[in-house]
Each structure stands twice: as C-alpha cells, then as structure tokens.
Amino acid sequence: MIITRSPLRISLGGGGTDLPSYYREHTGFLLAAAIDRHVHIVINRSILPEMILKYAQTERVTDVEQIQHPLVREAMKLVGTPAEGLEVAAMADIPAGTGLGSSGSFCTALLRGLHALHNGNPSAAEIAEQACHIEIDRLKEPVGKQDQFIAAVGGVTCFRFNPDGHVEYWPLRASSDTLRRLEHNLVLYFTGYTRSASEVLREQDTKTKAADSSMIDNLHFIKDLGYKSKDALEGGDLRGFAELMNVHWRSKKKRSGNMSNSRIDEWYELGIKSGGLGGKLIGAGGGGFLMFYTEDAEQLTAAMSRAGLQHVPFRFDFEGTRVVSGGTPSPALRPAIRRAA
C-alpha cells in the first residue's frame, strides 16, 4: 500500500498571471504558500481483476479508458499504469471547489503515488510539469500552473512563468520571524460557497486570448502587486502586505461580475471592520475562503463566527507532495519530463 499527500495552497499575490493565455505573451509572476491541509491518495494492489476507484463516487473498471474521473484516467495513461488489480482512494481535509487548489493537489499526489508504484521518483518540478500537462494540455482546462507547482514544491514560494512554459521558482527570502508572524496572523474563513475554478477562469482566459485591453491591463497590475507583496514580506512590512491584499481584492473583482457576490462583499467589509488589516477571496473567485491578515485574530474570528463563517486554522507546509507510507522509489527509474507547451 502506498499513501501520498499534497498540500493545499493560499495565494499571496499575483494570482491569475499563471495561465498560459497570459504568461505566453507577458510572463507571469506570483507568490503562494502551501498549507498543512492536504489531499491524500491511497493506492493498494488487489487480487481482483478490476480497478476500484473511490472519491466522491465509486468506480469499478477493467480498463483505464473506462475511468470517468478525468485526472485519474489521464494520470494513469501518462505513467502507464494498468487498471487491473488496483484500488485507489482519494480523501481531502477540505472539499474541492473552495479555492485552495485542490485539483492540482489531487493530481500531484496521484502522480507521486503512481510513480512510486513503478519504483519511480520524479523530482518535484517533474511531478508539477506532468500535472500541468494533464490539466492544461490533455484536458484543455482553462487553468494555470500555480496549484500544481506549489503543491509539488511546498513552502512560501515565488514563481515566474516564462513564455516558453518553463517555470522558475525560489523560496521567499523573508526572515524566520516574518514568516512566523505571517503564518500566525493570516486567517481563513469558509464562506460556504463552492464553485468550479474552470468556470470562473474561463472568462479571464477567453478575454486574455482575445487581447482584451482591460483584462490584460488588470493582469499586469495584479502581477505588479505580486512583486510588491514579495518585496513587502522580504522587507518585513507585514502591514504593507496587508494593504496590498485589499488593493488586490478590489482589482481582482474588476475581472468578472462572477468574482464575488453581495454576501461575500458584506463578509469582507465585516472582516475589515472587525480587525482585519487586509483581506481577499482565495482562488479563482466566486466562493471558497476569505483570507484576512489581522493582529487580533480572536476578535476577528468571533465576528466572522457570529456571521456564520467557519474558521479553518492552518500552518505552512514546507514538504510539498510526498510519499507518506509505502514504496521505495528509485531515482534511477526517473521518468522523462512531460512539459506543458
């Protein structure tokens, strides 16, 4: 039995510039953090002449092409894993559709497990590239590369998305004290709304491909905020970073009328009035989690709880996608990288 896990993530600045429709022309940049809320994959060899796949649904198939879950089907085809005699189960600490990058976490955890099943040990970058290839190239989803890369590498990390598809990444160069205070003062509250990231991102993707000037200008501005957020954190200016969160959220809402709704706007204003120095909705928009930076988490959490929002505590995850149990991967059997074009 092989058990793997991948962290979910929060975006700290520059989100949305990781889509190919933007970075292929303009280069993207963002800052993200992996958190200790995970997607877990369990893979077990079975004597049955079929595959049993358990997630929100249960599938029993005898051939990979019969698998209905698109990420599982394409991951198994890419790695070359036959369906017969396998049990695969997926579990998550937080439901999908909540803006924390669950599909990227799911795909990287699954790929790590399938490679371990074949005694393979790809690097974190290879796992991320393969996950991007599955979602962007094979499944044609209008998503970016942030979720797959931050899940695979972990940490509080800067990413540059180059026009040729190559992704550069490096740890945020902030002091340990700044990272400790950032972790302590960032708080997440679940709005109760779930949504498909692909549906929300499709409008951005379509407008960017059409060279819509307002969308391109908005993403340029968001990318600049990503660099400013990096500089603020590396300089230890946490209050400055908090204000940039507010600017980011106001700018992000201009991308689409589906980015927010009246209740999310009310909760955001409540958070700012109740001790939040900065805040925004995490992920593509339309639902999921509100994140605030605060120096009075107790007061803020009390106010948000009275409004019906659930507080979800977290810490940063610096391990990335990893095998938790089982498997003895061999670097000598590392597969080739499938780079997203």
Side-chain angles (χ1 to χ4, degrees), residues 197-245:
S198 296
E199 292 176 7
V200 178
L201 289 170
R202 201 173 303 279
E203 179 180 356
Q204 173 188 325
D205 193 52
T206 299
K207 288 184 176 180
T208 305
K209 288 177 178 176
D212 181 276
S213 60
S214 62
M215 180 62 73
I216 298 296
D217 288 345
N218 182 280
L219 290 169
H220 286 343
F221 185 70
I222 292 293
K223 179 171 66 175
D224 185 59
L225 288 178
Y227 281 113
K228 289 180 177 177
S229 297
K230 177 187 78 71
D231 292 343
L233 290 173
E234 291 184 341
D237 183 8
L238 288 167
R239 289 194 170 191
F241 166 75
E243 178 51 36
L244 288 169
M245 289 175 67

Side-chain angles (χ1 to χ4, degrees), residues 18-20 103 135-136 140-145 148 197-198 201 205:
D18 59 317
L19 270 70
S103 66
E135 293 199 72
I136 297 171
K140 307 299 181 184
E141 293 287 349
V143 298
K145 290 188 169 185
Q148 303 88 342
S198 296
L201 289 170
D205 193 52

